Amino acid sequence: MTTTRPHTEPAPLGRSGLARTVTSDTGRVVRISGPVISATDLPHTRLFDVVRVGTERLLGEVIKLDGDLVVMQVFEDTTGLQVGEPVEATGEPLYAELGPGLLGGILDGTQRPLENLSTDGNLYIARGADPHRLDRNRHWDFRPAVEVGDRVGPGDLLGSVPEGHAIEHRILVPAGAAGIISAIHPGPATVLDPVVDIDGHPIAMLRRWPLRRARPVADRLPLTVPLITGQRVLDLLFPVARGGSAIIPGGFGTGKTVLEQALAKFSTADIVIYVGCGERGNELTEVLEEFPQLTDPRTGAPLMERTVLIANTSNMPVAAREASIYSGITIAEYYRDQGYDVAMMADSTSRWGEALREVSSRLEEMPAEDGYPAYLATRLAGFYERAGAVQCLGTPERTGSVTVVGAVSPAGGDFSEPITQNSLRLAGCFWALDTALSRQRHFPAVNWLRSFSQYGLDAWFDREISADWSPLRRWAAASLQDEGVLQEVVSLLGVEALAAEQRITLRIGQALREDLLQQSSFDDLDASCPPQRLLAMLRVVHEAGAAMRSALQQGVAITDITAASVLADLGRMRRWPADNIHESASRLIQRIAEEMSSL
Amino acid sequence: MTTTDAQSPFTVGHRTVTRVAGPLIVVDGMDGVGYGELVEVETGDGPVREGQVLELDGSTAIVQVFGGTVGIGRRQTSVLTRGRAARTGVGNDYFGRVLDGAGRPRDGGPQPVPDDYRHVNGLPLNPITRAHPDQFIETGVSAIDGLITLVRGQKLPIFSGAGLPANSLAARIAAQARVPGDDAEVVVIFAAMGVTRREAEFFRTEFLTGGAAARSVLLLNLADDPTIERLLTPRVALTMAEYLAFEQHRHVLVVMTDMTAYCEALREISAAREEMPGRRGYPGYMYTDLASLYERAGRVRGGTGSLTQLMILTMPDDDITHPIPDLTGYITEGQIVLSRDLDRQGIQPPIDVLPSLSRLMNAGIGVGKTRDDHRGLADQLYACYARGREVRRLMSIVGESGLPTEDRRYLAFAAAFERTYLGQGPARRTLTDTLEVGWQLLAPFPAAELKRVSAEHLAHYHHEASVTATDA
Ligand SMILES: Nc1ncnc2c1ncn2[C@@H]1O[C@H](COP(=O)(O)OP(=O)(O)OP(=O)(O)O)[C@@H](O)[C@H]1O
Ligand SMILES: [Mg+2]
């Protein structure tokens, strides 16, 4: 069997005239400042071309052209590099390699498999390693979906291979290619073996796509379906749409990582891309040890089989941290194009922004706010705008989505800083984590008064879950708001200053906060909560409020009402067995009503 | 450091120093030197000073001089290159020794004989070679063992304020740390940056007298030593520690104090380079720089050793949002926060458990590790204390008489908790004692109030007292 070169998908329509011949140059290093290197004698080099720097051939990328000087960022540690060493420009931008074998992968920021970066039992990351991004030796069982003689164009389904137990990896016609299927090669194939021929040209499964460019789609669709997260506070009060974006700003220790990991485990996505960007090594180890033990709640397959992990921890080179976000979103778009709902978690986008800032400062660019470069907002927009729900290119007709959830780590926990503020303008959901709540061990520490969601998803919930969803949701939001106002009075004057009616509002607020919104990720039973359970719990709290108010009207003393022992059972709702949720709810509603009327 | 290393010959060169700016020198004629490499600066009189290349532009290099630039002139100064990055010797011969901030003996003793040499910057551990830390360390301090549990391979800072007893807490943990049921010795590498002679003397007596000497190394950069040398001190310490932990399979505790002095040295270099300052003048890359130190903690797969870090930092103005504690908190796995209020009341050690946290606690406690009730009890004590503190705050507004009985119980609890649980004084408590003290403190509460503990644990451990007793 002949093998083909990986298929580099050309630029989408409109730019295809740019098809360029690859010229490689060899220059030499003239200046070194950390990850930023300048070289001369590279006349053919273009912005964002990949370079190999020095005798160790460190991977880098051109970020500025300045007269004869070519300035680049190097994705590996540059210690020991000398002026005068060679720089080889490849004439190509940084590509992601796309194809079967991505799922379950653990990659660095430039998509290098981490297991290939430490050889012979070495514990540390070696420099200059350039392993294949995708395994070239593994065989996949290609099942064609076309016949000889079919006319195909970009994005059309050619066939599929099973990737893991649950995902059918769809092989599509590359962007820019079209013609008549002239041969089909079913059965086992590596990513470089041809699986079909189009007009006599062999097409393999491997695709290459420039990281920094969004992949084309047929159309963008309105966002009408929620990504169910399994987190009550989010699904109820601040739901995110499939294809939407959310940010999680919060000071250190407020629960960003725990929340991102919970979403990676439980959200209703087909594929999860988890990018650990400039964060802790141990957190990735935790994911690596935990995920293989867990199963995807929807398919029953091991969770790792729907996950791609990209790990560029805080002690790994800073420029590769910057690239990691783009590696992640490119892989996400690739699965979206197959018709999947993909969720991408980025922890933390602030470390990505800081990488930009560090490189910019070494370029001696004029800084804008807080030392970040003036193009920070544009870069952030370029990233968040790659989220979306789409009509995919090609046939059969299919839709896919990429939902992006980015953690933000504001300096001093102060949300007025540039990354939070710029992301806030782009993201549809703002899940503000609150240091005070996390100190009270109220988790997830999402501040219900400051957070918001701009996605109108009530119609979906009312239709798919229950017609009383949106009224109850509005009731809960209003009750929390009222309670917040009353709490301020209490903190100044004490609870005795409130009228009996207000103390009921306080008690309802407490039930909503403690028994509904709080949800520990470390409680196996409660770590994820499906919408039906959430609905049942919410109905109980709502009815409890009504029962308390009617007891008050009957003349019962407020202290007796709020001390009623049955209210303690609200705290047990999260332990209800998964079946007969609504029965458990009705029983509790009835007991509350009975006890209240017997007071 | 390099003085211990006679292996590589000097690459001699007489380069011209064209500029001296604070801790930096600009040197011409530096062909053939690598970025980040070590250079030696000779002035003719005084010892050879070491420096590191921060930037190369053609044949001009910007060099930070660890020994300071006093006495360096444009003439008479020659700059020699070594053809490699800064290294340190590693091995067992360093135990019992006092070294300076760059790893050279400062106790007048002989040159240690290293097992080997390692680059001080280390390399990033590959995340896939790490093993998740999950082995409980008993420190003998209730607040930590019970509520902010430390595990082997964790990085946990102590956020202190000027004058608070962080050093003695760290020394105490270093002396007492043990893993129940595991006799493996804990070795301690102590890196002190910018400390006073009095503090240095304290550490010397704590670590290098008696039996502790055989398992301790002390690196001292004093307040009046060259500040830029502080950038080396933690790196030398961690390089020695990594060797012991990941190659010799020892359990290593690295104590680093004071990270605030370290960060100030970082700021000094940044200012000298005329970099765009970040918050409060600290450089924008401080997060990455600190991470390159803190991330060197951990455990690795297939290895039996561990590298645990306890770093002390002084919060300027007791401000936890200051960039030094803030960036540290974003990297470490929790924090132990000391409180000036508790210290004033004589509560020792004055640990404020409310803002404190150990993020690896869950992995290190529970059945088979500590005890089944540990998590629930910790959550309950925390919740009761948080409520007690809130009531205390309220009381200052409405007065004690305005408080409901229930609230008064929490008030009494908070006081008792501070006095007995936190304020244990110098005595060591085993974990069992710590848990028992916790349950005793909960005795005044009726079982129904203790929602964080499971019914099963309540039945087994709760000694409910007659409620009226505490209301009196
Ligand atoms: N949903 C949750 N359920 C239970 N505990 C939580 C939850 N979220 C956070 N915590 C607690 O808070 C700690 C800190 O959470 P996490 O590591 O997610 O913070 P972070 O915001 O990512 O901090 P950093 O910015 O420093 O990375 C956790 O170790 C855990 O103890
Ligand atoms: Mg985090």
Side-chain angles (χ1 to χ4, degrees):
Chain A
M1 208 181 256
T2 54
T3 59
T4 56
R5 258 178 65 82
H7 198 104
T8 300
E9 299 187 77
L13 288 179
R15 299 201 48 186
S16 50
L18 274 176
R20 56 199 214 181
T21 43
V22 175
T23 20
S24 57
D25 272 348
T26 306
R28 55 181 199 92
V29 174
V30 296
R31 184 164 185 262
I32 309 166
S33 173
V36 176
I37 307 285
S38 306
T40 52
D41 304 330
L42 291 167
H44 303 292
T45 303
R46 278 158 290 201
L47 206 58
F48 292 124
D49 276 1
V50 166
V51 286
R52 291 282 170 182
V53 179
T55 46
E56 284 190 276
R57 296 177 52 77
L58 307 176
L59 183 69
E61 177 190 49
V62 175
I63 50 174
K64 186 175 163 185
L65 296 170
D66 183 4
D68 291 341
L69 270 195
V70 174
V71 185
M72 46 222 144
Q73 60 177 353
V74 177
F75 299 120
E76 300 182 70
D77 180 24
T78 53
T79 302
L81 187 69
Q82 297 187 3
V83 167
E85 285 196 50
V87 177
E88 188 189 310
T90 59
E92 293 189 317
L94 197 58
Y95 282 101
E97 285 196 353
L98 304 168
L102 286 168
L103 297 181
I106 306 154
L107 315 164
D108 85 342
T110 59
Q111 210 204 336
R112 300 183 301 175
L114 283 177
E115 62 180 3
N116 297 337
L117 297 188
S118 303
T119 42
D120 310 327
N122 196 334
L123 301 171
Y124 304 97
I125 294 181
R127 290 200 302 180
D130 187 22
H132 289 304
R133 274 38 174 181
L134 271 187
D135 191 338
R136 298 291 196 264
N137 299 319
R138 201 157 149 196
H139 283 80
W140 304 92
D141 187 21
F142 180 70
R143 298 164 186 177
V146 285
E147 289 173 12
V148 171
D150 285 356
R151 170 170 291 281
V152 293
D156 287 352
L157 181 69
L158 292 173
S160 63
V161 300
E163 192 177 8
H165 295 85
I167 298 293
E168 177 188 303
H169 190 116
R170 296 172 188 143
I171 309 297
L172 310 174
V173 176
I180 310 269
I181 301 285
S182 52
I184 295 178
H185 316 284
T190 70
V191 290
L192 287 184
D193 292 332
V195 289
V196 298
D197 293 0
I198 299 179
D199 291 338
H201 299 293
I203 304 283
M205 293 189 277
L206 186 68
R207 304 283 178 268
R208 301 171 76 217
W209 187 265
L211 286 189
R212 295 179 190 277
R213 192 183 301 148
R215 288 173 62 85
V217 299
D219 202 1
R220 293 214 156 223
L221 302 174
L223 309 180
T224 52
V225 180
L227 180 83
I228 301 294
T229 64
Q231 302 297 306
R232 285 187 289 269
V233 61
L234 303 184
D235 291 339
L236 179 65
L237 298 176
F238 314 110
V240 63
R242 278 191 179 160
S245 52
I247 60 169
I248 314 178
F252 65 78
T254 50
K256 299 180 291 296
T257 304
V258 173
L259 193 54
E260 291 267 25
Q261 290 186 358
L263 297 188
K265 286 183 212 165
F266 305 117
S267 68
T268 54
D270 299 312
I271 309 280
V272 170
I273 317 291
Y274 192 96
V275 185
C277 174
E279 293 288 311
R280 302 172 183 83
N282 276 337
E283 289 172 349
L284 288 151
T285 311
E286 193 178 4
V287 173
L288 289 180
E289 289 180 4
E290 197 181 6
F291 276 34
Q293 320 289 326
L294 298 171
T295 52
D296 179 341
R298 297 189 308 155
T299 62
L303 201 56
M304 213 47 210
E305 288 187 3
R306 74 164 195 185
T307 311
V308 182
L309 267 181
I310 298 182
N312 221 94
T313 55
S314 56
N315 54 342
M316 285 161 74
V318 69
R321 192 196 289 174
E322 196 264 335
S324 66
I325 293 281
Y326 296 102
S327 297
I329 195 95
T330 304
I331 296 173
E333 286 177 341
Y334 173 71
Y335 280 98
R336 172 203 67 191
D337 292 346
Q338 295 173 38
Y340 288 115
D341 291 312
V342 186
M344 168 168 161
M345 321 296 162
D347 184 14
S348 155
T349 59
S350 294
R351 306 305 166 215
W352 169 82
E354 285 165 10
L356 273 189
R357 177 170 70 184
E358 178 164 349
V359 169
S360 163
S361 111
R362 298 214 186 234
L363 293 173
E364 290 168 14
E365 292 172 336
M366 191 61 187
E369 216 184 332
D370 281 3
Y372 288 101
Y375 47 80
L376 174 72
T378 326
R379 291 286 180 89
L380 274 170
F383 166 60
Y384 279 104
E385 288 300 302
R386 288 174 77 171
V390 307
Q391 178 74 45
C392 308
L393 271 187
T395 56
E397 237 180 62
R398 56 195 188 274
T399 59
S401 65
V402 173
T403 311
V404 172
V405 182
V408 183
S409 316
D414 176 359
F415 292 176
S416 66
E417 58 86 45
I419 307 253
T420 315
Q421 287 304 314
N422 282 306
S423 310
L424 180 59
R425 261 174 252 138
L426 300 161
C429 284
F430 185 68
W431 296 333
L433 300 190
D434 190 308
T435 305
L437 287 175
S438 73
R439 293 235 175 118
Q440 292 160 26
R441 302 293 196 260
H442 173 110
F443 290 118
V446 176
N447 181 318
W448 50 90
L449 300 177
R450 266 183 110 169
S451 304
F452 61 77
S453 162
Q454 291 179 327
Y455 301 109
L457 298 165
D458 278 348
W460 186 92
F461 281 104
D462 287 348
R463 192 177 67 239
E464 303 291 329
I465 308 295
S466 175
D468 56 347
W469 182 279
S470 62
L472 281 171
R473 163 188 143 88
R474 279 191 295 276
W475 171 80
S479 303
L480 286 163
Q481 186 100 37
D482 295 346
E483 191 224 2
V485 174
L486 294 177
Q487 283 293 0
E488 280 175 30
V489 178
V490 171
S491 70
L492 291 176
L493 303 172
V495 72
E496 309 291 337
L498 296 186
E501 167 68 19
Q502 292 174 316
R503 289 175 68 174
I504 287 181
T505 306
L506 221 51
R507 186 63 190 82
I508 294 170
Q510 184 194 348
L512 284 170
R513 284 185 289 109
E514 293 178 1
D515 304 325
L516 193 91
L517 299 186
Q518 280 189 23
Q519 190 176 356
S520 170
S521 282
F522 302 112
D523 176 345
D524 287 342
L525 269 182
D526 198 38
S528 172
C529 178
Q532 284 298 342
R533 174 188 281 265
L534 165 52
L535 176 71
M537 293 169 76
L538 183 58
R539 281 178 180 158
V540 174
V541 180
H542 181 254
E543 292 308 314
M548 285 191 273
R549 290 224 152 86
S550 79
L552 188 67
Q553 270 159 19
Q554 308 290 310
V556 182
I558 179 66
T559 43
D560 292 341
I561 295 176
T562 54
S565 62
V566 70
L567 294 178
D569 284 5
L570 294 175
R572 308 219 166 85
M573 296 190 294
R574 53 170 62 96
R575 323 228 120 246
W576 282 342
D579 41 346
N580 302 330
I581 286 290
H582 290 292
E583 241 171 67
S584 306
S586 313
R587 269 201 304 274
L588 183 53
I589 289 171
Q590 201 180 342
R591 287 211 294 116
I592 292 172
E594 280 164 9
E595 187 165 329
M596 286 295 159
S597 55
S598 74
L599 288 172
Chain B
M1 193 173 61
T2 47
T3 40
T4 62
D5 170 15
Q7 294 172 341
S8 64
F10 278 8
T11 316
V12 182
H14 293 272
R15 281 97 179 183
T16 332
V17 173
T18 57
R19 214 165 88 95
V20 181
L24 302 179
I25 57 175
V26 179
V27 193
D28 272 354
M30 293 282 273
D31 306 279
V33 65
Y35 173 78
E37 277 182 3
L38 181 78
V39 299
E40 296 190 351
V41 183
E42 275 185 6
T43 51
D45 54 325
V48 171
R49 293 176 231 203
E50 290 167 350
Q52 187 185 0
V53 176
L54 288 187
E55 190 171 316
L56 283 168
D57 191 353
S59 58
T60 303
I62 299 178
V63 173
Q64 69 179 9
V65 184
F66 295 120
T69 49
V70 177
I72 293 184
R74 298 209 205 159
R75 308 231 172 86
Q76 304 103 18
T77 302
S78 54
V79 179
L80 314 167
T81 54
R82 286 290 220 153
R84 54 165 178 74
R87 302 197 300 190
T88 180
V90 295
N92 290 295
D93 207 31
Y94 290 88
F95 286 120
R97 301 299 303 272
V98 184
L99 311 172
D100 72 6
R104 293 170 296 228
R106 80 181 294 161
D107 54 5
Q111 203 45 251
V113 184
D115 295 0
D116 207 346
Y117 294 91
R118 294 281 186 276
H119 286 157
V120 299
N121 284 333
L123 287 168
L125 265 183
N126 190 329
I128 61 167
T129 62
R130 285 180 184 269
H132 199 252
D134 62 358
Q135 296 165 299
F136 166 69
I137 298 180
E138 190 186 270
T139 65
V141 178
S142 288
I144 299 176
D145 295 348
L147 302 173
I148 322 163
T149 315
L150 178 68
V151 299
R152 276 178 177 166
Q154 185 168 13
K155 39 189 181 290
L156 193 64
I158 301 176
F159 287 7
S160 183
L164 296 181
N167 287 336
S168 58
L169 177 61
R172 176 171 177 181
I173 295 171
Q176 297 183 348
R178 66 180 192 104
V179 171
D182 181 344
D183 297 333
E185 190 179 58
V186 177
V187 302
V188 180
I189 300 193
F190 198 91
M193 293 153 275
V195 297
T196 61
R197 275 170 210 285
R198 192 178 44 75
E199 288 171 305
E201 201 37 48
F202 167 78
F203 296 133
R204 198 197 304 271
T205 19
E206 283 289 319
F207 291 107
L208 295 181
T209 51
R215 57 178 191 96
S216 312
V217 185
L218 187 52
L219 287 109
L220 280 182
N221 165 284
L222 296 179
D224 54 357
D225 282 341
T227 47
I228 305 308
E229 194 175 84
R230 285 170 206 168
L231 298 178
L232 276 178
T233 314
R235 295 188 161 81
V236 172
L238 288 165
T239 305
M240 292 181 169
E242 275 176 345
Y243 171 78
L244 294 169
F246 304 142
E247 294 181 51
Q248 303 286 309
H249 307 290
R250 313 283 299 266
H251 291 292
V252 189
L253 175 67
V254 179
V255 179
M256 303 193 282
T257 185
D258 180 326
M259 292 312 295
T260 305
Y262 172 87
C263 292
E264 277 157 10
L266 210 58
R267 179 165 67 174
E268 195 176 324
I269 290 287
S270 174
R273 296 185 72 183
E274 295 170 16
E275 288 169 343
M276 186 51 209
R279 279 211 308 150
R280 309 233 187 156
Y282 293 93
Y285 48 79
M286 193 156 88
Y287 172 85
T288 302
D289 188 279
L290 288 174
S292 74
L293 302 178
Y294 299 160
E295 277 290 312
R296 292 171 81 172
R299 279 171 68 211
V300 297
R301 281 192 200 188
T304 49
S306 61
L307 198 169
T308 309
Q309 283 183 26
L310 211 57
M311 48 297 234
I312 296 169
L313 57 88
T314 307
M315 298 184 280
D317 262 344
D318 292 354
D319 176 9
I320 200 169
T321 67
H322 184 281
I324 300 172
D326 189 50
L327 294 180
T328 298
Y330 271 124
I331 304 165
T332 52
E333 285 141 349
Q335 65 279 339
I336 297 172
V337 182
L338 300 190
S339 148
R340 197 166 293 286
D341 262 3
L342 292 175
D343 188 57
R344 273 201 205 108
Q345 294 166 44
I347 287 162
Q348 291 302 330
I351 298 175
D352 186 355
V353 297
L354 296 187
S356 299
L357 170 75
S358 163
R359 306 197 193 190
L360 300 181
M361 177 168 177
N362 278 328
I365 64 170
V367 187
K369 289 172 177 163
T370 55
R371 215 170 72 182
D372 56 348
D373 57 325
H374 194 159
R375 176 81 261 170
L377 175 61
D379 289 346
Q380 190 63 62
L381 288 170
Y382 188 96
C384 290
Y385 181 57
R387 170 114 186 245
R389 286 265 296 261
E390 175 60 22
V391 173
R392 191 185 283 166
R393 195 188 59 77
L394 252 176
M395 186 184 71
S396 66
I397 299 164
V398 298
E400 185 162 2
S401 54
L403 295 175
T405 333
E406 195 191 57
D407 280 0
R408 264 180 263 164
R409 194 181 297 141
Y410 284 96
L411 200 62
F413 170 84
F417 176 80
E418 288 170 355
R419 218 171 36 243
T420 51
Y421 195 89
L422 302 179
Q424 70 185 83
R428 181 180 213 290
R429 274 197 200 131
T430 62
L431 179 74
T432 319
D433 291 346
T434 290
L435 296 173
E436 178 51 29
V437 173
W439 281 112
Q440 277 168 13
L441 285 165
L442 292 178
F445 292 98
E449 284 273 297
L450 304 177
K451 290 189 196 163
R452 309 267 172 161
V453 203
S454 75
E456 191 188 316
H457 293 150
L458 277 174
H460 203 267
Y461 298 107
H462 184 45
H463 356 257
E464 185 168 342
S466 95
V467 173
T468 43
T470 52
D471 292 338

